[in-house]
Structures are given as C-alpha cells and as structure tokens.
Amino acid sequence: DTLGEEEEQDRVPPQKLQLLGESAELRDLLRNPHLRQLLLALEQARDKSSLLRRLMQEPLFLEFADCCLGIVEPPEEKENVLP
C-alpha cells in the first residue's frame, strides 16, 4: 500500500529515529519510573488515542514528547516558523 500525502508527512526517517537512541536527554527522561509506567500503559491500551489525549495533560509526558520532537524535528528545520 502507498501512503497518502498526510501520512507520509507524519513518517520519521530511520536516520532521525536513530538520533532518539543517541540522546542523553531522552535517556535521562526514560529513567523516570513514572514516565515508563505511562508509556507502558499507552503501549498496552486498547484505545490509544483516548489515553494519548489524557497523557498530553501530564507535564512529564509533555516533556517526553517535546524532547522527542526536538530531536527528530529541531526548531530550525520546522516549517512555518516565524522569524
């Protein structure tokens, strides 16, 4: 199957995914037992989208998400960034 344009935009190239594994900041965050429990709950959830909406209210999960996004899409690479 081919991906639609919107789905293709959401894909992260393997090279950028590898950067996640190389990030000391991300490793430090993942040492937090509470964050690990949140991620495990998300992995095991039947309704992932509903749980993800709730997790986006958790400051620790937001810190994790921001860290991941900052690695795979650094601010200078983002589109539509105002000068």
Side-chain angles (χ1 to χ4, degrees), residues 6-57:
E6 186 174 307
E7 292 171 320
E8 187 64 36
Q9 288 177 330
D10 290 339
R11 294 192 103 190
V12 178
Q15 307 88 316
K16 294 217 175 192
L17 287 176
Q18 186 173 352
L19 294 175
L20 293 172
E22 298 169 1
S23 170
E25 180 183 4
L26 185 56
R27 273 195 303 275
D28 287 344
L29 282 172
L30 290 170
R31 286 187 180 101
N32 183 309
H34 181 61
L35 177 60
R36 294 170 70 104
Q37 282 296 97
L38 295 175
L39 294 172
L40 185 60
L42 182 59
E43 173 67 25
Q44 296 174 345
R46 289 181 190 230
D47 185 1
K48 292 181 186 337
S49 62
S50 176
L51 180 56
L52 188 56
R53 279 192 294 278
R54 286 190 308 223
L55 290 177
M56 293 306 286
Q57 304 302 312

